Amino acid sequence: MENDENMIIETHPFPPFLPKGAKVLIMGTFPPGEHRWSMNFYYPNPINDYWRICGMLFLNDKNALYDEVKKCFREKECRELMEKHHIALNDTGREVRRLKGNASDKFLEIVKPVPLFDLLREIPECRTVATTGEKAADVIAQLTGTDRPKMGEMKETDDGLRIWRMPSTSRAYPMKIEKKAEYYAELFRSVGIL
C-alpha cells in the first residue's frame, strides 16, 4: 500500500443539498468514484438502494426514479422528491482518501469531516440527522460527542438533535431492500414526512 501522505485526497464532488424547510438530513460517507455514477447527485451508483427505498416509500414503486432504458436514476425527479418531502442530503466526509481505490467505507479514510453544525444552521427546521451506514454513524457520533446508535435506533444530544443510524443503502450490505425500507419508513414517520 502507498504511503498515506502520497495518496490522493478527494474533495466531495457535490454541494450540500439543503432544501428549504428540511426536516431530516440524510448522511452517507462519500460517493463512489465517478465511473460508478449514473447522475451528478447523491447516491449516484445505479446499484445503490437509496432511491429505490425512496421510490417504495413515497411513490409505491421501487423503480419509479430509475430509467431502465438509460440505466440511470432520474436526477431531476430525485431532487424534486427530496424537496417535496423536506429531506436534505450530504455526506460525512468532506475530504477523503481511498485506501484501496474503491467505494468501500472499510477502506475510506476521512481526512476532513463535514462541518455538520454549519450545515444545520442553514436548515434551522432540521433537528434530525440520519446516517446511512456504520462509518457515517461513527463520524456523526464523533462530531456530536454522542455514542453511535444501534441500527434503527436514535440518540439525542443535550440540545435536542436526534441522531438516527440507518442500514447502509449499498447492495454490499446484506439486508433485503424491503427490510431496509422498514427502517427508513420509521425514520420518516418520526419527522412527520411519511
Side-chain angles (χ1 to χ4, degrees):
M1 188 185 328
E2 295 178 48
N3 185 332
D4 282 356
E5 286 77 40
N6 295 330
M7 297 183 84
I8 294 171
I9 294 176
E10 292 181 53
T11 300
H12 203 289
F14 309 134
F17 182 75
L18 307 173
K20 187 174 168 62
K23 304 271 190 256
V24 61
L25 173 58
I26 305 287
M27 303 193 81
T29 308
F30 199 81
E34 195 170 349
H35 66 287
R36 298 252 188 245
W37 298 1
S38 72
M39 63 177 173
N40 292 313
F41 193 49
Y42 290 87
Y43 303 99
N45 191 329
I47 63 168
N48 188 287
D49 283 331
Y50 180 77
W51 297 111
R52 288 180 180 84
I53 290 167
C54 288
M56 291 170 75
L57 297 178
F58 297 114
L59 303 168
N60 296 314
D61 176 1
K62 74 177 181 179
N63 292 313
L65 299 166
Y66 188 71
D67 185 321
E68 288 287 345
V69 175
K70 295 180 181 174
K71 302 292 183 210
C72 66
F73 292 112
R74 296 182 181 96
E75 182 178 338
K76 182 175 182 283
E77 291 174 33
C78 292
R79 288 175 180 272
E80 288 171 353
L81 187 70
M82 296 298 94
E83 285 177 3
K84 178 181 178 184
H85 292 285
H86 308 288
I87 300 170
L89 301 172
N90 200 230
D91 287 317
T92 56
R94 178 59 56 92
E95 293 180 359
V96 303
R97 284 189 188 102
R98 295 184 199 275
L99 303 180
K100 295 272 186 179
N102 62 30
S104 171
D105 279 0
K106 186 177 178 182
F107 301 112
L108 199 64
E109 175 193 355
I110 305 283
V111 176
K112 181 191 272 186
V114 68
L116 177 64
F117 297 103
D118 291 347
L119 288 180
L120 291 172
R121 275 191 284 280
E122 292 186 49
I123 45 175
E125 294 174 50
C126 180
R127 300 303 300 147
T128 302
V129 173
T131 59
T132 62
E134 187 173 358
K135 188 169 201 98
D138 286 340
V139 173
I140 295 302
Q142 226 175 4
L143 292 174
T144 59
T146 58
D147 294 330
R148 180 181 71 200
K150 291 181 181 173
M151 179 71 64
E153 292 185 2
M154 181 266 292
K155 298 268 185 184
E156 194 165 338
T157 65
D158 292 340
D159 65 349
L161 181 65
R162 294 176 300 280
I163 302 164
W164 287 76
R165 179 176 165 208
M166 299 287 98
S168 171
T169 57
S170 168
R171 291 270 176 96
Y173 187 73
M175 181 185 284
K176 291 187 180 209
I177 189 171
E178 293 80 8
K179 184 67 178 167
K180 290 180 185 183
E182 288 175 19
Y183 282 103
Y184 284 83
E186 183 180 353
L187 164 70
F188 294 146
R189 280 194 294 267
S190 81
V191 294
I193 59 175
L194 186 64

